């Protein structure tokens, strides 16, 4: 946890990053580390947790981080939480809460609310197109000999 805090502080002081840091570990080994780089990389997905997960997966040459934990300076946002589940991390250790982050204008409440709404009630219109054509992609994938299940 201390390393995630140090990454967040270093990012704030030296690089202009957001106040977040994260590390992925397996046992005592750090496999990935990241700071929030959204504003400096012009990438809204460049959260600390995402960066740490990407590094760890690249290092292990695997999309699964089963057997690993993530330490993050703040409770993960919905995007990072989704990535944590997709990566199959074993545990999440976090410092500050989402309510703490909201006090300095990192308020994810809207995203949590939107996810729970039916599609027609979301603030960004969700418009379904060409479903039958897209369903065929699943059929092709299911029959593919090169398919890797995840």
């Amino acid at each position: 946890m201390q390393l995630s805090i140090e990454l967040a502080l270093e990012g704030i002081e030296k690089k202009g990053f957001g106040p977040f840091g994260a590390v992925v570990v397996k046992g005592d080994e750090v496999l990935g580390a990241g700071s929030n780089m959204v504003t400096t990389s012009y990438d809204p997905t460049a959260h600390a947790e995402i960066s740490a997960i990407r590094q760890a997966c690249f290092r292990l040459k695997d999309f699964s981080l089963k057997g690993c934990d993530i330490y993050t300076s703040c409770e993960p946002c919905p995007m990072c939480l989704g990535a944590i589940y997709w990566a199959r991390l074993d545990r999440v250790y976090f410092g500050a809460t989402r309510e703490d982050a909201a006090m300095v204008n990192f308020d994810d409440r809207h995203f949590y609310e939107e996810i729970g709404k039916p599609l027609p009630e979301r603030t960004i219109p969700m418009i379904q197109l060409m479903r039958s054509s897209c369903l065929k992609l699943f059929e092709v994938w299911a029959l593919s000999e090169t398919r890797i299940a995840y």
Side-chain angles (χ1 to χ4, degrees):
M1 180 59 84
Q2 185 60 41
L3 181 53
S4 70
I5 294 167
E6 290 169 11
L7 287 166
L9 189 57
E10 178 183 316
I12 294 166
E13 293 175 344
K14 297 180 183 168
K15 300 174 184 165
F17 296 171
F20 305 98
V23 293
V24 172
V25 301
K26 187 169 191 168
D28 292 333
E29 183 181 8
V30 175
L31 299 175
S35 298
N36 180 291
M37 300 181 295
V38 169
T39 59
T40 56
S41 67
Y42 311 110
D43 179 356
T45 68
H47 288 202
E49 297 91 337
I50 301 293
S51 296
I53 289 168
R54 286 177 178 160
Q55 280 185 18
C57 287
F58 183 79
R59 187 163 177 196
L60 292 176
K61 305 282 187 265
D62 197 343
F63 56 82
S64 174
L65 295 176
K66 188 101 177 98
C68 300
D69 299 324
I70 190 165
Y71 292 80
T72 179
S73 61
C74 188
E75 181 180 355
C77 74
M79 176 183 69
C80 293
L81 190 58
I84 287 164
Y85 277 99
W86 277 112
R88 297 166 178 82
L89 285 151
D90 287 2
R91 280 173 291 281
V92 177
Y93 297 94
F94 67 95
T97 66
R98 60 178 134 165
E99 293 82 12
D100 298 329
M103 290 190 299
V104 291
N105 296 319
F106 289 98
D107 194 350
D108 298 333
R109 182 178 359 191
H110 174 71
F111 303 126
Y112 283 101
E113 292 169 355
E114 283 291 299
I115 289 168
K117 290 180 182 177
L119 297 179
E121 294 176 22
R122 293 186 180 171
T123 57
I124 296 176
M126 305 289 286
I127 303 156
Q128 187 175 29
L129 297 173
M130 301 179 68
R131 180 174 184 239
S132 60
S133 295
C134 294
L135 286 174
K136 288 178 184 171
L137 297 170
F138 294 138
E139 293 172 22
V140 172
W141 183 81
L143 298 173
S144 172
E145 293 182 15
T146 61
R147 174 184 55 163
I148 299 172
Y150 66 97

